[in-house]
Amino acid sequence: AHIALRPELSAAYDALFCAGGSEIELRSADSLGIAGTPMRFVDVQRRAYELGLTAMGIASAGNCPTLNPDRATSWSLDRDDHVIVLTSD
């Protein structure tokens, strides 16, 4: 239905949902180099972008994952916390 209404999105849907396309992964805050550093989600997104990833949310230990948090929300992630990312690896 979305493609019928917005045909220009066809290529984006193909890239995201085809075999061998993008994947959703959990990357540790430590592996992104942001553990122990208070930052806004927009800064988390920038760091992920620098590594060729797209940050989609936060999965902090012991809490429910948060998808698409407010970009101004501040986080202080520990090494056991994760960032939910979209990757094409």
Side-chain angles (χ1 to χ4, degrees), residues 7-84:
E8 68 274 13
L9 294 177
S10 179
Y13 281 115
D14 286 344
L16 288 172
F17 300 116
C18 71
S22 299
E23 297 178 0
I24 296 173
E25 296 180 358
L26 295 175
R27 296 281 177 103
S28 71
D30 198 38
S31 73
L32 297 177
I34 59 174
T37 305
M39 57 179 46
R40 297 169 300 153
F41 188 66
V42 68
D43 301 318
V44 173
Q45 289 178 308
R46 272 194 205 106
R47 178 61 183 147
Y49 180 78
E50 291 169 359
L51 299 171
L53 307 168
T54 302
M56 299 172 50
I58 302 290
S60 36
N63 294 311
C64 291
T66 304
L67 289 175
N68 196 29
D70 185 307
R71 294 178 59 168
T73 301
S74 186
W75 302 84
S76 185
L77 302 174
D78 294 325
R79 57 182 7 180
D80 294 332
D81 296 328
H82 292 83
V83 178
I84 303 164

